[in-house]
Amino acid sequence: MPFTFLTFLGTGNYEEVHYITPDGTMHKSRYAQSALAKMYCIEITSVIVFLTPEARTKHWDSTNNSFKTELAQLLPAITPITIDITTVSSEETLWQLFNRVYDAIPENSEIIFDITHAFRHLPILGLVILNYARSLKNIKITGIYYGAFEARNNTGAPIIDLTRIDRLLQWSNAVEFYLKTGNAYSIDKLVNETVGFIRNQTDQPDPVLNLERSFSNALKYLLPVLSTCRSKEIIAGNIFTTVRERLQTLMEQKNIYIKPLEPLYNRILQTVIKFENNSMANLLLAVHLCIEYSLVQQGITLLEESVISIILYTLGIDDIYNKDNRYAVSRFFQFIACPGKNYTHPRDEEQYRAIGEKLDTSRLAKEVAIPFDKLRDCRNDISHAGYNDSAAGAEKFLKTLTDSFIDILNVFNESKDIVESWLLSVTQWLLEQYRC
Protein backbone atom coordinates (compact mmCIF):
# COMPACT_ATOMS: atom_id res chain seq x y z
CA MET A 1 0.00 0.00 0.00
CA PRO A 2 1.48 3.42 -0.95
CA PHE A 3 2.48 5.57 2.02
CA THR A 4 1.73 9.25 1.40
CA PHE A 5 2.81 12.24 3.46
CA LEU A 6 0.38 15.18 3.17
CA THR A 7 1.32 18.57 4.55
CA PHE A 8 0.55 22.27 4.26
CA LEU A 9 2.99 25.17 4.11
CA GLY A 10 2.09 28.61 5.35
CA THR A 11 3.78 31.99 5.27
CA GLY A 12 4.83 32.33 8.92
CA ASN A 13 8.29 33.27 10.11
CA TYR A 14 9.14 29.80 11.37
CA GLU A 15 11.90 29.54 13.95
CA GLU A 16 14.33 26.70 14.27
CA VAL A 17 13.74 24.30 17.14
CA HIS A 18 14.34 20.67 18.08
CA TYR A 19 11.06 18.94 17.17
CA ILE A 20 10.41 15.73 19.10
CA THR A 21 8.19 13.14 17.44
CA PRO A 22 5.93 10.73 19.39
CA ASP A 23 8.48 7.92 18.96
CA GLY A 24 11.23 10.11 20.44
CA THR A 25 12.93 11.05 17.18
CA MET A 26 14.50 14.52 17.46
CA HIS A 27 15.20 16.79 14.51
CA LYS A 28 16.34 20.40 14.47
CA SER A 29 14.49 22.44 11.86
CA ARG A 30 12.13 25.32 11.19
CA TYR A 31 9.67 22.76 9.83
CA ALA A 32 7.88 20.18 11.95
CA GLN A 33 7.26 18.27 8.72
CA SER A 34 10.97 17.52 8.45
CA ALA A 35 10.92 15.70 11.79
CA LEU A 36 7.97 13.60 10.59
CA ALA A 37 9.73 12.87 7.31
CA LYS A 38 12.69 11.62 9.33
CA MET A 39 10.43 9.52 11.59
CA TYR A 40 8.73 7.86 8.60
CA CYS A 41 11.65 7.97 6.16
CA ILE A 42 11.50 4.22 5.50
CA GLU A 43 7.73 4.03 4.95
CA ILE A 44 7.04 7.18 2.91
CA THR A 45 6.65 6.58 -0.83
CA SER A 46 5.27 9.98 -1.86
CA VAL A 47 5.02 13.53 -0.48
CA ILE A 48 2.31 16.05 -1.38
CA VAL A 49 2.73 19.65 -0.25
CA PHE A 50 -0.19 22.09 -0.42
CA LEU A 51 0.87 25.73 -0.53
CA THR A 52 -0.21 29.20 -1.60
CA PRO A 53 1.90 31.25 -4.05
CA GLU A 54 3.19 33.28 -1.08
CA ALA A 55 4.19 30.14 0.83
CA ARG A 56 5.88 28.75 -2.27
CA THR A 57 8.03 31.86 -2.58
CA LYS A 58 8.90 32.05 1.10
CA HIS A 59 9.39 28.42 2.15
CA TRP A 60 9.73 26.29 -1.00
CA ASP A 61 11.57 28.05 -3.79
CA SER A 62 13.79 30.02 -1.43
CA THR A 63 17.44 28.97 -1.41
CA ASN A 64 17.74 29.77 2.29
CA ASN A 65 17.07 26.50 4.21
CA SER A 66 13.77 25.87 2.44
CA PHE A 67 11.48 22.96 3.21
CA LYS A 68 12.15 21.70 -0.32
CA THR A 69 15.88 21.51 0.46
CA GLU A 70 15.32 19.66 3.73
CA LEU A 71 13.02 17.11 2.11
CA ALA A 72 15.61 16.42 -0.58
CA GLN A 73 18.13 15.61 2.15
CA LEU A 74 15.76 13.46 4.20
CA LEU A 75 14.00 11.67 1.31
CA PRO A 76 16.44 11.81 -1.61
CA ALA A 77 14.63 9.12 -3.63
CA ILE A 78 11.28 10.97 -3.61
CA THR A 79 10.25 13.93 -5.75
CA PRO A 80 7.61 15.88 -3.79
CA ILE A 81 4.42 16.95 -5.54
CA THR A 82 3.34 20.53 -4.87
CA ILE A 83 -0.30 21.57 -5.20
CA ASP A 84 -1.13 25.26 -5.43
CA ILE A 85 -4.04 26.39 -3.29
CA THR A 86 -5.68 29.75 -2.66
CA THR A 87 -7.07 31.42 0.42
CA VAL A 88 -10.72 30.54 1.01
CA SER A 89 -12.89 33.63 0.63
CA SER A 90 -16.23 32.15 -0.45
CA GLU A 91 -18.12 28.88 -0.69
CA GLU A 92 -16.93 28.53 -4.28
CA THR A 93 -13.26 28.78 -3.29
CA LEU A 94 -13.92 26.38 -0.42
CA TRP A 95 -15.11 23.72 -2.88
CA GLN A 96 -12.19 24.45 -5.18
CA LEU A 97 -9.84 23.76 -2.28
CA PHE A 98 -11.79 20.64 -1.31
CA ASN A 99 -11.47 19.25 -4.83
CA ARG A 100 -7.75 20.05 -5.15
CA VAL A 101 -6.90 18.28 -1.91
CA TYR A 102 -9.25 15.35 -2.50
CA ASP A 103 -8.07 14.80 -6.07
CA ALA A 104 -4.43 14.70 -4.90
CA ILE A 105 -4.97 11.86 -2.42
CA PRO A 106 -3.90 8.51 -3.96
CA GLU A 107 -6.33 5.63 -3.81
CA ASN A 108 -5.58 2.62 -1.58
CA SER A 109 -2.88 4.48 0.35
CA GLU A 110 -1.80 5.03 3.93
CA ILE A 111 -1.82 8.68 4.90
CA ILE A 112 0.32 10.75 7.24
CA PHE A 113 -1.31 14.17 7.66
CA ASP A 114 0.61 17.12 9.12
CA ILE A 115 -1.43 20.21 10.10
CA THR A 116 1.31 22.22 11.84
CA HIS A 117 1.43 25.10 9.37
CA ALA A 118 -2.06 24.77 7.93
CA PHE A 119 -3.94 28.07 7.91
CA ARG A 120 -6.89 28.38 10.35
CA HIS A 121 -9.71 26.39 8.72
CA LEU A 122 -7.45 23.96 6.84
CA PRO A 123 -7.01 21.36 9.63
CA ILE A 124 -10.79 20.97 9.95
CA LEU A 125 -11.27 20.85 6.19
CA GLY A 126 -8.43 18.37 5.90
CA LEU A 127 -10.02 16.02 8.43
CA VAL A 128 -13.34 16.18 6.58
CA ILE A 129 -11.65 15.40 3.27
CA LEU A 130 -9.71 12.48 4.72
CA ASN A 131 -12.85 11.07 6.28
CA TYR A 132 -14.58 11.36 2.90
CA ALA A 133 -11.64 9.78 1.08
CA ARG A 134 -11.53 6.89 3.55
CA SER A 135 -14.72 5.53 2.02
CA LEU A 136 -14.35 6.59 -1.60
CA LYS A 137 -10.62 6.02 -2.02
CA ASN A 138 -10.08 3.24 0.51
CA ILE A 139 -7.35 5.08 2.38
CA LYS A 140 -5.98 4.32 5.83
CA ILE A 141 -5.12 7.24 8.08
CA THR A 142 -1.96 6.21 9.89
CA GLY A 143 -1.22 9.48 11.66
CA ILE A 144 -2.36 13.08 12.13
CA TYR A 145 0.26 15.36 13.67
CA TYR A 146 0.73 18.90 14.95
CA GLY A 147 4.11 20.42 15.78
CA ALA A 148 3.46 22.40 18.98
CA PHE A 149 6.13 25.09 18.65
CA GLU A 150 4.32 27.17 21.29
CA ALA A 151 4.79 24.30 23.80
CA ARG A 152 8.56 24.20 23.41
CA ASN A 153 10.86 23.98 26.44
CA ASN A 154 14.57 23.50 27.02
CA THR A 155 14.43 20.08 25.37
CA GLY A 156 12.45 21.02 22.30
CA ALA A 157 8.93 21.26 20.86
CA PRO A 158 6.69 18.18 20.93
CA ILE A 159 4.90 16.89 17.86
CA ILE A 160 1.48 15.87 19.10
CA ASP A 161 -0.28 12.79 17.75
CA LEU A 162 -3.88 13.79 16.95
CA THR A 163 -4.85 10.53 15.27
CA ARG A 164 -7.49 9.88 17.94
CA ILE A 165 -9.51 12.77 16.49
CA ASP A 166 -9.87 10.68 13.36
CA ARG A 167 -10.97 7.76 15.53
CA LEU A 168 -13.76 9.94 16.91
CA LEU A 169 -14.90 10.66 13.37
CA GLN A 170 -14.95 6.94 12.67
CA TRP A 171 -16.95 6.37 15.84
CA SER A 172 -19.39 9.08 14.81
CA ASN A 173 -19.94 7.39 11.44
CA ALA A 174 -20.25 3.93 13.00
CA VAL A 175 -22.78 5.04 15.61
CA GLU A 176 -24.89 6.91 13.05
CA PHE A 177 -24.87 3.88 10.76
CA TYR A 178 -25.94 1.61 13.62
CA LEU A 179 -28.79 3.86 14.75
CA LYS A 180 -30.20 4.11 11.23
CA THR A 181 -29.69 0.53 10.06
CA GLY A 182 -29.01 -1.67 13.08
CA ASN A 183 -25.71 -2.67 11.48
CA ALA A 184 -23.07 -2.86 14.24
CA TYR A 185 -20.25 -4.21 12.07
CA SER A 186 -18.28 -0.93 12.13
CA ILE A 187 -18.79 -0.58 15.89
CA ASP A 188 -17.50 -4.10 16.46
CA LYS A 189 -14.51 -3.43 14.19
CA LEU A 190 -13.58 -0.26 16.12
CA VAL A 191 -14.02 -2.02 19.47
CA ASN A 192 -11.74 -4.86 18.38
CA GLU A 193 -9.11 -2.41 17.14
CA THR A 194 -9.26 -0.46 20.41
CA VAL A 195 -9.07 -3.61 22.51
CA GLY A 196 -6.08 -4.80 20.49
CA PHE A 197 -4.31 -1.46 20.97
CA ILE A 198 -4.91 -1.46 24.74
CA ARG A 199 -3.79 -5.08 25.11
CA ASN A 200 -0.54 -4.22 23.36
CA GLN A 201 0.13 -1.66 26.10
CA THR A 202 -0.23 -4.06 29.02
CA ASP A 203 0.27 -7.72 29.87
CA GLN A 204 -2.51 -7.77 32.47
CA PRO A 205 -5.87 -9.26 31.35
CA ASP A 206 -8.84 -7.03 32.12
CA PRO A 207 -12.36 -8.46 32.53
CA VAL A 208 -13.98 -5.12 31.57
CA LEU A 209 -12.06 -5.05 28.31
CA ASN A 210 -13.18 -8.62 27.58
CA LEU A 211 -16.76 -7.66 28.42
CA GLU A 212 -16.72 -4.70 26.03
CA ARG A 213 -15.42 -6.93 23.26
CA SER A 214 -17.95 -9.70 23.87
CA PHE A 215 -20.78 -7.14 23.99
CA SER A 216 -19.96 -5.60 20.61
CA ASN A 217 -19.49 -9.04 19.11
CA ALA A 218 -22.97 -10.11 20.28
CA LEU A 219 -24.49 -6.83 19.07
CA LYS A 220 -23.10 -7.46 15.61
CA TYR A 221 -25.22 -10.61 15.18
CA LEU A 222 -28.63 -9.00 15.80
CA LEU A 223 -29.01 -7.60 12.28
CA PRO A 224 -28.25 -10.87 10.42
CA VAL A 225 -30.95 -12.62 12.48
CA LEU A 226 -33.47 -9.92 11.51
CA SER A 227 -32.41 -9.54 7.89
CA THR A 228 -32.73 -13.29 7.27
CA CYS A 229 -35.97 -13.66 9.29
CA ARG A 230 -34.65 -16.43 11.56
CA SER A 231 -37.86 -17.08 13.49
CA LYS A 232 -36.49 -19.93 15.61
CA GLU A 233 -33.59 -17.79 16.81
CA ILE A 234 -35.91 -14.85 17.40
CA ILE A 235 -38.32 -16.92 19.50
CA ALA A 236 -35.42 -18.51 21.41
CA GLY A 237 -34.27 -14.96 22.13
CA ASN A 238 -30.75 -15.88 23.24
CA ILE A 239 -28.96 -13.43 20.98
CA PHE A 240 -31.11 -10.54 22.25
CA THR A 241 -30.95 -11.42 25.94
CA THR A 242 -27.19 -11.95 25.68
CA VAL A 243 -26.76 -8.40 24.36
CA ARG A 244 -28.96 -7.06 27.16
CA GLU A 245 -27.22 -8.97 29.95
CA ARG A 246 -23.73 -8.02 28.78
CA LEU A 247 -24.79 -4.41 28.32
CA GLN A 248 -26.38 -4.19 31.77
CA THR A 249 -23.22 -5.64 33.32
CA LEU A 250 -21.16 -3.12 31.37
CA MET A 251 -23.33 -0.24 32.57
CA GLU A 252 -22.58 -1.22 36.18
CA GLN A 253 -18.81 -0.79 35.69
CA LYS A 254 -17.20 2.35 37.12
CA ASN A 255 -14.42 2.43 34.55
CA ILE A 256 -14.74 1.48 30.90
CA TYR A 257 -12.27 1.72 28.03
CA ILE A 258 -14.46 2.27 24.96
CA LYS A 259 -15.66 5.77 25.84
CA PRO A 260 -17.34 6.63 22.48
CA LEU A 261 -19.74 3.70 22.94
CA GLU A 262 -20.96 4.78 26.38
CA PRO A 263 -23.53 7.40 25.20
CA LEU A 264 -25.12 4.67 23.05
CA TYR A 265 -25.80 2.27 25.92
CA ASN A 266 -29.33 3.40 26.73
CA ARG A 267 -30.35 3.49 23.06
CA ILE A 268 -29.16 -0.07 22.55
CA LEU A 269 -30.80 -1.23 25.78
CA GLN A 270 -34.19 0.01 24.57
CA THR A 271 -33.97 -2.18 21.46
CA VAL A 272 -33.54 -5.39 23.47
CA ILE A 273 -35.21 -4.54 26.79
CA LYS A 274 -38.40 -6.56 26.15
CA PHE A 275 -36.92 -9.67 24.56
CA GLU A 276 -37.08 -12.85 26.64
CA ASN A 277 -35.92 -16.42 26.17
CA ASN A 278 -38.42 -18.77 24.50
CA SER A 279 -41.11 -16.16 23.88
CA MET A 280 -43.47 -15.89 20.92
CA ALA A 281 -43.76 -12.16 21.69
CA ASN A 282 -40.18 -11.76 20.44
CA LEU A 283 -41.57 -12.06 16.91
CA LEU A 284 -43.55 -8.83 17.33
CA LEU A 285 -40.53 -7.07 18.82
CA ALA A 286 -38.49 -8.19 15.82
CA VAL A 287 -41.07 -6.71 13.43
CA HIS A 288 -40.76 -3.42 15.30
CA LEU A 289 -36.98 -3.44 14.82
CA CYS A 290 -37.44 -4.19 11.11
CA ILE A 291 -39.60 -1.08 10.84
CA GLU A 292 -37.04 0.96 12.78
CA TYR A 293 -34.25 -0.14 10.42
CA SER A 294 -36.35 0.03 7.21
CA LEU A 295 -36.05 -3.72 6.67
CA VAL A 296 -39.35 -3.65 4.81
CA GLN A 297 -39.42 -7.03 3.11
CA GLN A 298 -38.17 -8.76 6.26
CA GLY A 299 -40.74 -6.88 8.36
CA ILE A 300 -43.63 -7.92 6.11
CA THR A 301 -42.47 -11.54 6.06
CA LEU A 302 -41.95 -11.68 9.83
CA LEU A 303 -45.28 -10.00 10.57
CA GLU A 304 -47.25 -12.43 8.42
CA GLU A 305 -45.48 -15.47 9.80
CA SER A 306 -45.68 -14.12 13.37
CA VAL A 307 -49.44 -13.68 13.19
CA ILE A 308 -49.87 -17.23 11.90
CA SER A 309 -47.65 -18.54 14.73
CA ILE A 310 -49.55 -16.61 17.40
CA ILE A 311 -52.93 -17.78 16.07
CA LEU A 312 -51.75 -21.40 16.16
CA TYR A 313 -50.49 -20.86 19.70
CA THR A 314 -53.83 -19.42 20.89
CA LEU A 315 -55.60 -22.42 19.33
CA GLY A 316 -53.48 -24.74 21.48
CA ILE A 317 -51.56 -26.14 18.50
CA ASP A 318 -47.96 -26.73 19.57
CA ASP A 319 -46.47 -27.55 16.17
CA ILE A 320 -46.30 -24.02 14.78
CA TYR A 321 -43.76 -25.06 12.12
CA ASN A 322 -46.03 -27.65 10.50
CA LYS A 323 -46.63 -26.54 6.88
CA ASP A 324 -50.21 -27.80 6.72
CA ASN A 325 -51.13 -25.95 9.91
CA ARG A 326 -49.63 -22.69 8.62
CA TYR A 327 -51.22 -23.05 5.20
CA ALA A 328 -54.64 -23.65 6.77
CA VAL A 329 -54.41 -20.42 8.80
CA SER A 330 -53.36 -18.44 5.74
CA ARG A 331 -56.24 -19.91 3.72
CA PHE A 332 -58.67 -19.06 6.52
CA PHE A 333 -57.52 -15.43 6.48
CA GLN A 334 -58.16 -15.25 2.73
CA PHE A 335 -61.62 -16.79 3.14
CA ILE A 336 -62.58 -14.24 5.84
CA ALA A 337 -60.97 -11.14 4.27
CA CYS A 338 -62.13 -11.74 0.68
CA PRO A 339 -65.64 -13.25 0.82
CA GLY A 340 -66.42 -12.42 -2.79
CA LYS A 341 -63.47 -14.23 -4.33
CA ASN A 342 -64.68 -17.80 -3.85
CA TYR A 343 -61.83 -18.88 -1.58
CA THR A 344 -62.62 -22.20 0.08
CA HIS A 345 -62.73 -22.60 3.84
CA PRO A 346 -59.93 -24.93 5.05
CA ARG A 347 -62.50 -27.07 6.89
CA ASP A 348 -63.90 -28.07 3.48
CA GLU A 349 -60.77 -30.10 2.77
CA GLU A 350 -60.13 -33.27 4.73
CA GLN A 351 -56.45 -32.41 5.16
CA TYR A 352 -57.23 -29.15 6.99
CA ARG A 353 -60.65 -29.92 8.49
CA ALA A 354 -59.59 -30.23 12.12
CA ILE A 355 -57.70 -26.96 12.23
CA GLY A 356 -60.35 -25.26 10.07
CA GLU A 357 -63.00 -26.07 12.65
CA LYS A 358 -60.80 -24.66 15.41
CA LEU A 359 -60.27 -21.47 13.42
CA ASP A 360 -64.02 -21.09 13.07
CA THR A 361 -64.29 -20.73 16.84
CA SER A 362 -61.53 -18.12 17.10
CA ARG A 363 -62.69 -14.50 17.25
CA LEU A 364 -59.04 -13.43 17.15
CA ALA A 365 -58.41 -15.23 13.85
CA LYS A 366 -61.45 -13.58 12.27
CA GLU A 367 -60.56 -10.11 13.57
CA VAL A 368 -56.94 -10.23 12.44
CA ALA A 369 -57.71 -11.58 8.97
CA ILE A 370 -58.33 -8.20 7.29
CA PRO A 371 -55.19 -6.34 8.48
CA PHE A 372 -53.22 -9.52 7.77
CA ASP A 373 -54.54 -9.73 4.22
CA LYS A 374 -53.27 -6.21 3.42
CA LEU A 375 -49.75 -7.62 3.73
CA ARG A 376 -50.30 -10.45 1.26
CA ASP A 377 -50.21 -8.29 -1.87
CA CYS A 378 -47.18 -6.35 -0.57
CA ARG A 379 -45.24 -9.52 0.08
CA ASN A 380 -46.05 -10.95 -3.35
CA ASP A 381 -45.31 -7.63 -5.06
CA ILE A 382 -41.83 -7.52 -3.51
CA SER A 383 -41.10 -11.23 -3.97
CA HIS A 384 -41.96 -10.99 -7.68
CA ALA A 385 -40.02 -7.73 -8.13
CA GLY A 386 -43.07 -5.72 -9.17
CA TYR A 387 -43.74 -7.84 -12.26
CA ASN A 388 -47.50 -7.20 -12.31
CA ASP A 389 -49.87 -4.56 -13.61
CA SER A 390 -50.71 -3.23 -10.14
CA ALA A 391 -47.17 -2.92 -8.75
CA ALA A 392 -46.96 -0.43 -5.88
CA GLY A 393 -44.49 2.43 -5.60
CA ALA A 394 -41.46 1.71 -3.43
CA GLU A 395 -42.42 4.38 -0.89
CA LYS A 396 -45.73 2.67 -0.04
CA PHE A 397 -44.39 -0.57 1.43
CA LEU A 398 -43.00 0.80 4.70
CA LYS A 399 -46.23 2.71 5.39
CA THR A 400 -48.35 -0.36 4.65
CA LEU A 401 -46.18 -2.46 6.94
CA THR A 402 -46.32 0.09 9.76
CA ASP A 403 -50.08 0.67 9.46
CA SER A 404 -50.81 -3.07 9.30
CA PHE A 405 -48.57 -3.72 12.29
CA ILE A 406 -50.39 -1.11 14.39
CA ASP A 407 -53.78 -2.51 13.29
CA ILE A 408 -52.72 -6.05 14.23
CA LEU A 409 -51.37 -4.89 17.60
CA ASN A 410 -54.69 -3.17 18.32
CA VAL A 411 -56.56 -6.37 17.46
CA PHE A 412 -54.32 -8.36 19.81
CA ASN A 413 -54.69 -5.76 22.56
CA GLU A 414 -58.48 -5.74 22.40
CA SER A 415 -58.97 -9.48 21.88
CA LYS A 416 -60.33 -11.62 24.69
CA ASP A 417 -58.72 -14.68 23.12
CA ILE A 418 -55.29 -13.54 24.28
CA VAL A 419 -54.94 -14.09 28.00
CA GLU A 420 -51.16 -14.52 28.19
CA SER A 421 -49.77 -11.60 30.19
CA TRP A 422 -46.38 -11.76 28.47
CA LEU A 423 -47.96 -11.31 25.04
CA LEU A 424 -50.32 -8.55 26.15
CA SER A 425 -47.49 -6.72 27.92
CA VAL A 426 -45.33 -6.64 24.78
CA THR A 427 -48.32 -5.70 22.61
CA GLN A 428 -49.15 -2.73 24.86
CA TRP A 429 -45.50 -1.65 25.06
CA LEU A 430 -45.21 -1.68 21.27
CA LEU A 431 -48.41 0.35 20.87
CA GLU A 432 -46.90 2.96 23.20
CA GLN A 433 -43.86 3.24 20.91
CA TYR A 434 -46.11 4.19 18.00
CA ARG A 435 -48.12 6.68 20.03
CA CYS A 436 -44.97 8.64 20.88
Side-chain angles (χ1 to χ4, degrees):
M1 178 178 271
F3 202 100
T4 303
F5 181 25
L6 303 179
T7 184
F8 291 88
L9 267 183
T11 58
N13 296 316
Y14 308 139
E15 297 179 26
E16 197 171 59
V17 69
H18 282 100
Y19 279 107
I20 307 167
T21 61
D23 72 345
T25 301
M26 186 176 290
H27 184 77
K28 189 176 183 180
S29 174
R30 291 192 295 160
Y31 307 103
Q33 300 98 314
S34 294
L36 291 169
K38 182 177 180 180
M39 175 180 169
Y40 285 105
C41 63
I42 296 175
E43 294 89 349
I44 292 174
T45 58
S46 64
V47 177
I48 301 175
V49 182
F50 300 97
L51 69 180
T52 62
E54 296 81 7
R56 178 185 289 276
T57 299
K58 188 169 185 177
H59 291 297
W60 189 257
D61 292 336
S62 169
T63 57
N64 184 24
N65 295 325
S66 68
F67 181 46
K68 178 181 180 180
T69 302
E70 292 197 11
L71 276 181
Q73 295 170 350
L74 291 164
L75 304 170
I78 294 173
T79 301
I81 299 170
T82 58
I83 306 290
D84 289 325
I85 59 175
T86 57
T87 303
V88 172
S89 58
S90 65
E91 184 174 349
E92 182 180 356
T93 55
L94 174 66
W95 282 112
Q96 289 174 354
L97 178 58
F98 181 97
N99 289 330
R100 289 190 76 83
V101 176
Y102 175 78
D103 290 344
I105 298 173
E107 293 189 2
N108 305 309
S109 59
E110 287 192 52
I111 300 294
I112 297 295
F113 182 42
D114 165 67
I115 62 171
T116 304
H117 301 309
F119 184 68
R120 295 177 183 171
H121 57 279
L122 291 178
I124 296 174
L125 180 62
L127 284 172
V128 172
I129 294 171
L130 290 178
N131 193 47
Y132 191 65
R134 189 201 324 275
S135 298
L136 293 183
K137 292 196 170 186
N138 191 36
I139 66 168
K140 176 184 177 183
I141 301 171
T142 300
I144 301 172
Y145 298 100
Y146 172 72
F149 178 82
E150 66 280 6
R152 67 192 182 282
N153 54 31
N154 293 333
T155 304
I159 293 181
I160 301 171
D161 186 348
L162 300 175
T163 313
R164 289 189 181 184
I165 293 176
D166 173 63
R167 299 291 289 179
L168 285 175
L169 284 174
Q170 291 184 63
W171 272 107
S172 176
N173 292 337
V175 167
E176 181 183 20
F177 192 54
Y178 168 76
L179 291 175
K180 288 183 177 179
T181 69
N183 190 325
Y185 173 81
S186 295
I187 286 178
D188 184 57
K189 180 174 180 289
L190 288 169
V191 168
N192 283 327
E193 289 175 359
T194 305
V195 169
F197 174 79
I198 294 172
R199 282 181 173 170
N200 286 336
Q201 309 302 309
T202 177
D203 296 329
Q204 299 299 319
D206 191 308
V208 175
L209 203 59
N210 292 337
L211 180 61
E212 288 175 300
R213 189 172 196 170
S214 65
F215 162 68
S216 72
N217 187 59
L219 184 67
K220 179 178 66 176
Y221 287 107
L222 295 189
L223 185 63
V225 169
L226 295 174
S227 62
T228 55
C229 302
R230 299 299 85 193
S231 62
K232 290 181 180 179
E233 292 179 59
I234 292 169
I235 292 172
N238 295 332
I239 185 65
F240 301 96
T241 57
T242 296
V243 168
R244 184 178 68 231
E245 290 163 4
R246 290 178 183 174
L247 177 56
Q248 288 173 331
T249 303
L250 203 51
M251 293 172 75
E252 295 170 357
Q253 307 304 311
K254 293 183 179 179
N255 298 306
I256 62 169
Y257 293 95
I258 319 286
K259 297 294 184 182
L261 197 54
E262 191 172 11
L264 196 59
Y265 286 168
N266 284 323
R267 294 285 294 272
I268 296 174
L269 185 61
Q270 286 306 304
T271 66
V272 294
I273 192 69
K274 289 292 182 177
F275 282 91
E276 299 295 342
N277 290 328
N278 302 312
S279 173
M280 198 84 69
N282 291 348
L283 294 168
L284 300 177
L285 294 165
V287 173
H288 173 59
L289 290 181
C290 286
I291 293 172
E292 288 284 297
Y293 301 142
S294 295
L295 297 172
V296 179
Q297 184 172 14
Q298 293 90 339
I300 291 171
T301 300
L302 273 174
L303 181 52
E304 280 200 328
E305 301 301 334
S306 300
V307 170
I308 292 173
S309 297
I310 290 170
I311 291 298
L312 289 170
Y313 179 84
T314 60
L315 292 175
I317 298 172
D318 294 330
D319 190 0
I320 64 170
Y321 293 101
N322 180 279
K323 289 183 180 180
D324 287 344
N325 291 343
R326 303 188 71 81
Y327 180 73
V329 175
S330 181
R331 282 275 300 277
F332 179 79
F333 287 156
Q334 278 186 314
F335 176 81
I336 295 296
C338 309
K341 292 190 176 181
N342 297 319
Y343 289 116
T344 58
H345 196 298
R347 69 164 178 252
D348 294 337
E349 294 184 42
E350 181 64 31
Q351 186 177 1
Y352 310 116
R353 181 165 297 152
I355 188 171
E357 290 174 352
K358 285 190 174 184
L359 286 165
D360 249 349
T361 66
S362 172
R363 288 170 298 181
L364 177 61
K366 293 173 184 176
E367 291 165 356
V368 83
I370 292 176
F372 177 95
D373 204 65
K374 292 178 183 177
L375 297 167
R376 196 185 302 273
D377 288 341
C378 286
R379 185 173 179 179
N380 289 335
D381 195 347
I382 294 174
S383 296
H384 297 288
Y387 278 99
N388 60 72
D389 294 334
S390 58
E395 73 284 353
K396 293 184 179 180
F397 292 107
L398 181 59
K399 185 178 188 307
T400 300
L401 168 59
T402 306
D403 291 346
S404 298
F405 187 44
I406 294 171
D407 289 344
I408 288 167
L409 290 174
N410 278 317
V411 169
F412 284 174
N413 188 45
E414 295 166 7
S415 175
K416 294 181 180 179
D417 287 356
I418 296 180
V419 295
E420 293 80 2
S421 59
W422 49 268
L423 184 54
L424 284 173
S425 172
V426 167
T427 298
Q428 291 162 3
W429 182 83
L430 285 168
L431 284 170
E432 284 298 318
Q433 308 312 302
Y434 290 96
R435 291 191 186 110
C436 296

